[in-house]
């Protein structure tokens, strides 16, 4: 009888051991699967991945005072009769300011008025020379946007200091909108009046 009990007890021990091993394997496989899913999700979000997958930012960059602008317009500061090396002041903002001057004047009727405004404009940027190139490239579209803003300016705005400041802001926004539409990036910091006449 002792032999029978011993024989009956022997098959039960391996069965319990086999079930425990199977549970451990299933738990390990579940953890590996969950970890793989998390890793895949992070890769899709761009949190992890190889350096080759990182997209390079091709937008214009700020140019610090004293740094060379790799996109400076050709001939800037060089050639016969050109000024000497540009010397930046130490105060003020840390970035260089470049200007784009529109060649032709702008003339437009004022909104609901018999008067018109005539002005010369320039725009500034702290970004590299690509913004200046894009202003030149899209000057026709920029001019059209500027004329629309001028035509929507009231006589009162055209005469008051506050109105002129608001007009500068609206012109800056209009120019940046054209650049964003065409190049995906604005970059114009401000618009300046070189001349300004209301008649």
């Amino acid at each position: 009888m002792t032999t029978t009990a011993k024989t009956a007890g022997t098959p039960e021990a391996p069965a319990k051991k086999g079930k425990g091993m199977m549970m451990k394997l299933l738990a390990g496989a579940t953890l590996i699967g969950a970890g793989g899913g998390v890793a895949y999700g992070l890769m899709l979000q761009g949190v992890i991945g190889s350096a080759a997958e990182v997209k390079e930012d091709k937008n214009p960059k700020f140019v610090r005072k004293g740094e060379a602008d790799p996109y400076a317009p050709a001939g800037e500061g060089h050639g016969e009769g050109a000024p000497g090396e540009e010397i930046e002041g130490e105060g003020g903002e840390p970035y260089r300011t470049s200007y784009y001057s529109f060649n032709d004047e702008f003339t437009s009727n004022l909104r609901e008025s018999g008067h018109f405004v005539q002005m010369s404009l320039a725009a500034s940027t702290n970004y590299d020379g690509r913004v200046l190139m894009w202003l030149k490239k899209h000057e026709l579209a920029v001019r059209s946007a500027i004329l629309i803003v001028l035509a929507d300016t009231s006589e009162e705005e055209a005469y008051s200091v506050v109105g002129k400041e608001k007009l500068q802001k609206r012109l800056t926004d209009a120019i940046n909108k054209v650049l964003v539409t065409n190049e995906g990036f604005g970059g114009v910091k401000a618009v300046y009046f070189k001349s300004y006449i209301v008649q």
Side-chain angles (χ1 to χ4, degrees):
M1 199 145 171
T2 313
T3 337
T4 316
K6 194 176 183 183
T7 315
T10 309
E12 288 179 21
K16 285 182 182 176
K17 189 176 182 183
K19 282 185 181 177
M21 186 62 122
M22 183 61 108
M23 291 301 283
K24 289 178 182 176
L25 287 173
L26 283 173
T30 303
L31 286 173
I32 290 171
V38 169
Y40 181 70
L42 291 173
M43 281 177 36
L44 287 178
Q45 293 176 3
V47 175
I48 61 172
S50 70
E53 294 175 6
V54 176
K55 289 185 179 180
E56 181 186 348
D57 181 12
K58 295 186 178 180
N59 288 326
K61 309 286 185 275
F62 283 114
V63 179
R64 289 193 161 279
K65 290 181 177 179
E67 288 181 356
D69 181 353
Y71 298 96
E76 188 178 273
H78 303 290
E80 190 177 325
E85 185 178 332
E86 194 173 288
I87 299 172
E88 305 280 355
E90 291 183 20
E93 59 184 43
Y95 303 106
R96 286 177 46 178
T97 303
S98 299
Y99 296 93
Y100 180 83
S101 187
F102 293 93
N103 290 327
D104 297 326
E105 291 183 333
F106 295 86
T107 305
S108 174
N109 291 330
L110 295 171
R111 185 181 71 224
E112 299 174 2
S113 171
H115 295 277
F116 66 90
V117 64
Q118 183 175 35
M119 64 183 66
S120 298
L121 297 175
S124 70
T125 184
N126 295 123
Y127 289 93
D128 63 48
R130 288 177 283 187
V131 174
L132 302 177
M133 287 187 251
W134 295 340
L135 281 168
K136 183 173 183 161
K137 177 181 176 183
H138 301 292
E139 187 168 343
L140 182 62
V142 169
R143 289 187 67 79
S144 178
I146 288 171
L147 289 172
I148 289 170
V149 170
L150 293 178
D152 193 36
T153 303
S154 70
E155 188 175 333
E156 182 182 331
E157 290 172 318
Y159 279 113
S160 74
V161 172
V162 173
K164 289 175 187 174
E165 289 170 350
K166 287 181 181 178
L167 177 58
Q168 284 178 302
K169 173 75 172 107
R170 288 173 40 225
L171 291 170
T172 302
D173 292 344
I175 293 170
N176 280 325
K177 184 176 179 184
V178 170
L179 296 181
V180 167
T181 299
N182 290 286
E183 299 294 344
F185 190 87
V188 171
K189 180 181 178 182
V191 170
Y192 301 95
F193 301 122
K194 295 192 312 180
S195 68
Y196 187 98
I197 301 170
V198 180
Q199 292 184 338

